[in-house]
Amino acid sequence: MKSKRQAKIMEIISVRDIETQEQLLQALQEEGYYSTQATISRDIKELRVVKELTSFGTYRYTSASKDGASTFSARLNTIFRECITSFDYAQNIIVIKTMPGLANAAASAIDAMSMSVVVGTLAGDDTVFIVMRDNNAAAAFCGEIKNLLS
């Protein structure tokens, strides 16, 4: 039953814009699959279903691509273009300001790229701190951000 339910979840999110777990639960019920919100939440994690920003400014569930590096690079580009309000660096630390609620997405995308020059990230609600290996790496990364935004 679990594999059938998860297959139905993937089918539903591929043809419909589903924004919330409640909407997904309702869509599953319409298809004859009855479950709890907690089970749907576990399914979403196991399936690696993520939310993406639509062209209408809303979010929808979608399957994570198998091509990790290009997916995260594309996500990072989108995140920077859509939500970065400012950025700067001091020595080897970069501070990125985002629109409220989007700093975790930016930090997660940076972490997932597994860049050797990034020691780590720390995100709040609208601020990301990135610790780089050296000052030159921080300057170069800020240059890349500037190019993405222009």
Side-chain angles (χ1 to χ4, degrees):
M1 186 64 176
K2 177 180 177 179
S3 61
K4 289 181 181 180
R5 182 183 63 247
Q6 289 184 346
K8 184 55 77 173
I9 288 172
M10 298 306 286
E11 178 185 324
I12 290 170
I13 65 170
S14 70
V15 297
R16 293 175 56 179
D17 285 348
I18 303 291
E19 292 184 55
T20 65
Q21 289 183 11
E22 291 78 22
Q23 288 176 341
L24 182 56
L25 189 59
Q26 182 178 3
L28 282 168
Q29 289 173 350
E30 291 169 3
E31 297 286 333
Y33 293 84
Y34 297 93
S35 188
T36 66
Q37 186 273 330
T39 300
I40 299 305
S41 181
R42 283 190 296 274
D43 286 341
I44 287 170
K45 285 181 184 176
E46 287 178 22
L47 294 169
R48 297 184 185 261
V49 170
V50 296
K51 282 191 176 183
E52 72 177 358
L53 186 64
T54 68
S55 58
F56 301 109
T58 60
Y59 289 90
R60 67 182 292 271
Y61 283 116
T62 187
S63 61
S65 173
K66 302 293 184 213
D67 184 12
S70 65
T71 298
F72 287 116
S73 180
R75 277 192 197 149
L76 185 60
N77 288 342
T78 301
I79 289 167
F80 284 162
R81 284 190 188 114
E82 300 295 326
C83 72
I84 299 294
T85 58
S86 67
F87 63 94
D88 203 353
Y89 72 99
Q91 295 187 11
N92 69 322
I93 297 175
I94 299 172
V95 177
I96 298 174
K97 299 294 275 181
T98 69
M99 293 174 19
L102 297 175
N104 278 308
S108 180
I110 293 165
D111 288 340
M113 292 178 71
S114 300
M115 295 182 290
S116 62
V117 293
V118 175
V119 176
T121 61
L122 178 66
D125 183 55
D126 63 354
T127 305
V128 179
F129 285 94
I130 306 169
V131 178
M132 305 298 282
R133 293 237 175 257
D134 57 46
N135 300 356
N136 292 335
F141 193 75
C142 280
E144 290 179 32
I145 295 171
K146 186 176 182 179
N147 289 339
L148 286 172
L149 295 177
S150 47

